[in-house]
Amino acid sequence: MKGTSIHKLVITASDNTPTEIHKEAVYLRRDMATSHEEADNIIAQQAIMCAKQQPGAVSLIADDTDVFVLLIHHYQNEGLTSAMFMTSPVQQRSTIDIKATVEKKQGIVPGLLAAHALSGCDTVPTYFGIGKGTVLKILNAAPDSLTMLGSLNAPLSEVVHQSTNFIASCYSKIAGNDMYEIRYKAWAVKFGNTASSAPPIQSLPPSSEAFTENVKRAHLQTYIWKAAVLLDPPDLDPLKYFFFNFFLNFNFFY
């Protein structure tokens, strides 16, 4: 944290309570103690709290897309206006201006956490050939296309339906009632006149059953991310949202 008269260093380690160093004195920041388990949530939470509590710019060292998306979401959601920068620990990589990014992309920020989780993050598998550039393009065209993902009040069937439409748009805007129909249409588009021209199975959308499990994971992850600024994570049973575990489901995904 930097300001005209404030220079503070907040360090988060394995302990639930971070340490602050200011004017050669070391303090325990008990007001920022957290029981979150995900490092990404902790980093974003404490950066946002520092920005809310003290004047001046906040600069954090991180090199993770999940952290970047979390900062973007909560910076806008908390109505912050102070400067915030995300600096990579890798030399020669550019520093990201969080405030400027939010101002430039404010229209898609509300749906950014859901789109990032659904299209692949640390806990959710990605889709073959579907990059983040494609996902952002679809989100730019329809900013309200994932309003239910991460909202536990929404019926799961509607969450899956909305998520299906979003991912279908990423596959060259193929439409269908469910992922099985979209999968077949994607196969038909890719299939040529000979058996040797059949598309690789990994290039096709997942089956409906596998996709539903993927949506459950993204649904839970988005909800937890939205609660990152709270000192404690939401009390949820992850078994309701994970099919066996990530690795088993990844093998089943196609």
Side-chain angles (χ1 to χ4, degrees):
M1 180 183 301
K2 299 178 181 180
T4 56
S5 59
I6 300 175
H7 293 272
K8 296 182 178 181
L9 176 63
V10 178
I11 302 173
T12 299
S14 57
D15 193 276
N16 290 344
T17 304
T19 299
E20 177 182 297
I21 302 175
H22 177 49
K23 294 183 178 180
E24 300 183 357
V26 179
Y27 308 89
L28 286 177
R29 290 295 303 269
R30 301 189 187 282
D31 61 313
M32 295 171 63
T34 178
S35 61
H36 276 279
E37 296 181 352
E38 291 186 37
D40 297 342
N41 285 343
I42 296 172
I43 293 170
Q45 175 210 67
Q46 294 178 355
I48 296 297
M49 288 186 70
C50 286
K52 291 173 65 176
Q53 294 174 358
Q54 299 289 345
V58 171
S59 179
L60 63 147
I61 300 174
D63 192 18
D64 187 278
T65 304
D66 291 2
V67 173
F68 171 66
V69 174
L70 277 161
L71 291 173
I72 294 295
H73 173 85
H74 288 292
Y75 185 97
Q76 177 171 293
N77 201 51
E78 295 293 324
L80 298 179
T81 58
S82 58
M84 180 177 289
F85 303 96
M86 178 174 167
T87 303
S88 171
V90 180
Q91 292 184 354
Q92 298 181 344
R93 288 191 178 178
S94 58
T95 296
I96 301 174
D97 188 330
I98 299 299
K99 179 181 180 180
T101 304
V102 170
E103 291 174 348
K104 184 177 181 180
K105 299 293 184 181
Q106 57 184 312
I108 67 170
V109 171
L112 196 57
L113 285 179
H116 177 54
L118 183 63
S119 59
C121 59
D122 290 349
T123 57
V124 182
T126 58
Y127 305 86
F128 184 92
I130 304 299
K132 294 299 181 182
T134 299
V135 173
L136 288 175
K137 182 178 179 181
I138 299 303
L139 189 61
N140 270 305
D144 298 325
S145 55
L146 284 175
T147 54
M148 296 184 183
L149 197 70
S151 174
L152 298 191
N153 294 325
L156 183 60
S157 59
E158 295 183 19
V159 175
V160 172
H161 178 71
Q162 191 180 64
S163 300
T164 299
N165 291 336
F166 184 86
I167 293 299
S169 296
C170 295
Y171 284 98
S172 300
K173 298 184 179 180
I174 297 175
N177 294 319
D178 55 36
M179 198 56 76
Y180 271 127
E181 184 178 352
I182 295 164
R183 181 181 174 91
Y184 171 75
K185 288 181 177 180
W187 175 85
V189 169
K190 294 174 179 288
F191 193 77
N193 296 322
T194 63
S196 61
S197 63
I201 191 170
Q202 67 267 25
S203 69
L204 300 176
S207 65
S208 292
E209 291 88 350
F211 182 71
T212 296
E213 301 303 328
N214 212 43
V215 171
K216 288 180 182 179
R217 285 195 299 274
H219 195 36
L220 174 63
Q221 184 64 77
T222 304
Y223 184 74
I224 292 174
W225 277 344
K226 288 182 176 181
V229 292
L230 303 178
L231 293 180
D232 300 303
D235 185 16
L236 296 173
D237 181 5
L239 294 179
K240 293 182 179 180
Y241 302 91
F242 280 73
F243 175 69
F244 293 106
N245 59 49
F246 169 79
F247 298 103
L248 288 177
N249 189 258
F250 184 81
N251 292 330
F252 176 66
F253 192 60
Y254 299 111

